[in-house]
Amino acid sequence: EEAPPSGGGGLVETALEEEQQTPGAYRADLPTLALDEVAKHVDKEAGGVWVTFKRGVYDVSSFVAKHPGGAKILLAAGKSIEPFWQLFAAHHHPEVYEMLEDL
């Protein structure tokens, strides 16, 4: 059999796969935060609006004003957004996950 061409073609695929992160996945390059610390972040004056999704913590402060559901996003401030996302199917799209990871 012929060997794959040299030049790192496989490395390109690996790099692209690594760029696409799974929302809420554990990341060793980020600090681990306790849920009681996240719970303190419920508004901009309290250090920002943070939410959790799976194992990830996200500062959604800059997104609150843009949220299509208005201030409803604040119902999840300081806690998990998962119960809310289970109610609204619009959240289960790659674009939404990408937006979350970009925050």
Side-chain angles (χ1 to χ4, degrees), residues 10-23 25-27 29 101:
L11 294 176
V12 172
E13 287 178 17
T14 303
L16 289 174
E17 288 171 8
E18 288 177 13
E19 284 179 24
Q20 296 175 356
Q21 298 177 11
T22 303
Y26 171 76
R27 289 187 41 197
D29 61 321
E101 285 300 313

